[in-house]
Amino acid sequence: MKSKERGGFGGRSDGLPRIAFLGNYPPRLCGIATFTHDLCEAVACAAPDSDCFVGALNDRTEGYAYPPRVHFELLEKDLNYYRRAADFLNFNNADVLSVQHEFGIYGGPAGSHLLTLLKEARMPVVTTLHTVLSKPNAAQYQVMGELIERSDRLVVMARKGAEILCETYGVAETKIDVIPHGIPDLGFIESGFFKGQFGVDGCKVLLTFGLISPGKGIEYVIEALPEIVRQHPKVVYLVLGATHPQLLAREGERYRLGLERLAEDLQVREHVIFYNRFFSAEDLKQFIGATDIYLTPYLNEAQITSGTLAYVFGAGKVVVSTPYWHAQELLADEHGVLVPFHNPGAISTAVCSLLDDAPRMEKIRSDAYAVGRGMIWPVVAQRYLETFQQARADRRATPRAAFAGWTLGGRSYQLPPLRLEHLLRMSDGTGIFQHAIFNVPDFHHGYCTDDNARAFILCNLLEELGDPLPAETLDGLTTRYLAFLAAAFNKDSGRFRNFMSHSRQWLEEVGSQDSHGRALWAVGTGVGRSHNTGHRKLATQLFEHGLAAAASFSAPRAWSFTLLGIHEYLRRFPTEPKALAMRETLTARLVNLWHDCATDAWPWFEPSVTYDNARLCQALILSGQWQGHSEALAIGLKSLRWLASIQKTQAGHFRPIGSDGFYHRDGARADFDQQPLEAQAMVAACLEAFRVTQNPTWSRKARRAFEWFLGRNDLGLPLYDSSSGACCDGLHPDRVNENQGAESSLAFHLALADMTFAEHLITPPPLPS
């Protein structure tokens, strides 16, 4: 039998197209899971010859008891699952991938793990954006830019979403499809038909449903109830839904209990019924059927999509809502009633006005139901099928360019897996030990601020990357290292101490300038990146109390570490005047140092190249980029280019300046002892240069420095122990230093974290002005 020409999904007969869906999926309880399920099933019904299957995101290691529709699973915080998912999709010849995107459901900074999958997936990608931020932070803007680049088509559920994509992210209108949120096809039935089963016969039923959290604004409806009940005594307010799982884990039932107490205090408790569970689709149909007025008193205008609003509106129910973006569009032309945010009085007035005007309610109902016929799942599924076909046509017309970032053998550069056993072994209830004898902590040398600062930075980066360690383990380590830094700070002198004995006795009243700068870098990182409120507040105090001392420093590396900490701090407080002033001061000092020393033959800041050298370059690249200080940026790049050139062998591998003599102008350079700290600094600085310039030469230099840890070095021997996550202390002319101290092991893991960030934040667009 002859095969027919390839046509649309519904009419193909020359082979089954395979349509993959990626997102949360039932029995996981959340709105995205419900949407992914409903969309997949609707498309499968609309295109019965298609093979529709799902990749489900897991937020717990044990996963869920998924139905056969789910063909593969991803642990959201583990980057390796995303690579394997791309392999699965490629090997199974998926024709198109439909991605459900919400920042919070994917691992990595701002959900950036998803980008690893999309960079390696070969099929056209259609991304449905459940959130479109008009004011993203830097990480969200980076991720969204790459997501847009890696998607063949974008779907939004409201015109406002398309407008934001065009204005904020520069997306061409032709790449965007506005497809409404799908809804079930319910009959237009009077509410009285359903009320008996809930014991509310003869009552006027108000309803709010969905996962319960403070952003829902339910308290404002309860505050409106006394006046509503005064005018309409037979009103009952149903609040359906379980407490949001993340809120429940963080705060328990505090919000729900507060709502119940509020109802009691206002003497309307008998008019409010809470149903604390997740409802099936069939259950929801019954409750919606019994509803007279649906209330969405949400508090955030920037909500671009509400599945519950679409569901109830399309069922022909009267809606009273605050004017978040989706509600503004859906309820326009008197298809519902909008009330101001945070305004119980307006809610009571709107509800009573509607209950007093039955003809008006009936008209709103019928108009909404008519509009809703264009939102039912069969119609929406057909729209998606058209979009899938368009994505395939777009891909054929404009094949995607080969990925130009971290590649090795045609796929993403493979980084070693994260292993933290040695760092756990090196840590106790006080902090992390400085030194090790082989792989055993050396108690004789105790602890230092330098290493606990590095460890605290690492923990914050791992949290942002979605480290697979149990949350309580990572939180415990982070707390321990921050507590050490807090104890190190001497309020009387305004300085951090550095060395502490194993018996917890400080060995000095004032630490080195470098250790103070590293401590500021660490607590600045806590301010800018930590998701733990207590950690963030303590880090803020330490940073702000310790910053002034940096003005008196004379050590260039201390200036550089402080600048790196200021950069992190300004992620959270971008207009703080003291931090901005100190950044200006220290940047000027580094620039002046350069002018006083650098020549064409020796383009460096000092007469010697010593330790942690690339941090000087990195500090100027960062400060020059963010201050608009073009000279600082140019010096940072020029000095780093020279540093990279003198640390590359003729064989092409990285050879850091040795600590056994360093490198003095007009003198011979020391090739040994090579320190992990130098490789780590070079990785970080080169990646920063790559982010600024987008020149892939810098990514190659960063990779070369990183591979020094793995054995691409003068001795051809690895320093990293992949079985425990330890790193040896250095490279001698004839051997590896087998001791595995904190500085060395942390240097490797910080470099690995930097490389991991770079892997899925490859081509960030410029920040919004």
Side-chain angles (χ1 to χ4, degrees), residues 215-453:
K216 301 293 187 182
I218 295 169
E219 60 271 26
Y220 292 99
V221 178
I222 294 175
E223 290 174 9
L225 276 179
E227 180 58 25
I228 296 172
V229 170
R230 187 186 69 79
Q231 297 187 41
H232 296 273
K234 288 194 172 184
V235 159
V236 62
Y237 179 38
L238 307 183
V239 181
L240 270 61
T243 300
H244 196 289
Q246 293 179 356
L247 180 68
L248 189 64
R250 189 171 64 248
E251 300 180 4
E253 292 287 8
R254 185 172 70 175
Y255 178 63
R256 183 185 298 275
L257 292 173
L259 295 175
E260 293 178 358
R261 286 194 298 269
L262 177 62
E264 289 175 359
D265 292 343
L266 296 175
Q267 299 181 0
V268 292
R269 185 65 183 86
E270 66 275 17
H271 295 273
V272 184
I273 303 174
F274 291 93
Y275 292 88
N276 186 6
R277 63 185 178 89
F278 196 88
F279 288 87
S280 68
E282 192 57 40
D283 289 337
L284 283 176
K285 290 178 183 178
Q286 306 302 312
F287 277 104
I288 291 170
T291 299
D292 294 295
I293 297 177
Y294 183 69
L295 295 157
T296 59
Y298 300 165
L299 307 182
N300 180 15
E301 182 189 36
Q303 182 161 344
I304 201 68
T305 303
S306 170
T308 61
L309 172 64
Y311 198 144
V312 177
F313 176 88
K317 296 299 177 180
V318 177
V319 178
V320 174
S321 176
T322 48
Y324 55 92
W325 288 335
H326 193 196
Q328 288 181 38
E329 286 192 24
L330 205 55
L331 305 184
D333 301 322
E334 299 186 357
H335 291 156
V337 179
L338 296 175
V339 296
F341 294 103
H342 312 97
N343 196 325
I347 293 173
S348 62
T349 298
V351 170
C352 290
S353 174
L354 287 164
L355 293 177
D356 289 335
D357 193 344
R360 181 187 177 203
M361 287 186 65
E362 186 61 25
K363 184 177 189 310
I364 292 174
R365 285 192 63 214
S366 60
D367 289 349
Y369 190 78
V371 173
R373 296 315 84 205
M375 300 163 57
I376 59 174
W377 275 116
V379 175
V380 168
Q382 193 57 49
R383 294 281 306 278
Y384 268 92
L385 287 169
E386 293 167 1
T387 293
F388 296 161
Q389 285 286 44
Q390 185 62 53
R392 297 173 71 195
D394 291 345
R395 179 65 70 89
R396 286 193 295 268
T398 310
R400 178 177 294 175
F403 174 59
W406 301 97
T407 56
L408 185 63
R411 64 169 296 153
S412 286
Y413 180 62
Q414 293 297 292
L415 297 170
L418 181 71
R419 299 295 298 268
L420 296 177
E421 289 91 334
H422 185 63
L423 292 183
L424 290 169
R425 184 166 59 216
M426 288 288 290
S427 301
D428 69 358
T430 300
I432 191 166
F433 290 102
Q434 287 187 72
H435 297 296
I437 304 171
F438 298 107
N439 63 351
V440 179
D442 182 358
F443 290 178
H444 291 96
H445 291 92
Y447 319 86
C448 69
T449 291
D450 281 323
D451 290 335
N452 279 276

Side-chain angles (χ1 to χ4, degrees), residues 618 620-626 633-634 637 685-695 698 762 764:
Q618 182 186 3
L620 281 186
I621 292 169
L622 270 172
S623 296
Q625 176 188 3
W626 292 94
L633 177 59
L637 292 171
C686 289
L687 290 177
E688 200 55 58
F690 174 63
R691 292 187 189 100
V692 173
T693 65
Q694 293 299 295
N695 185 337
W698 290 115
I762 297 298

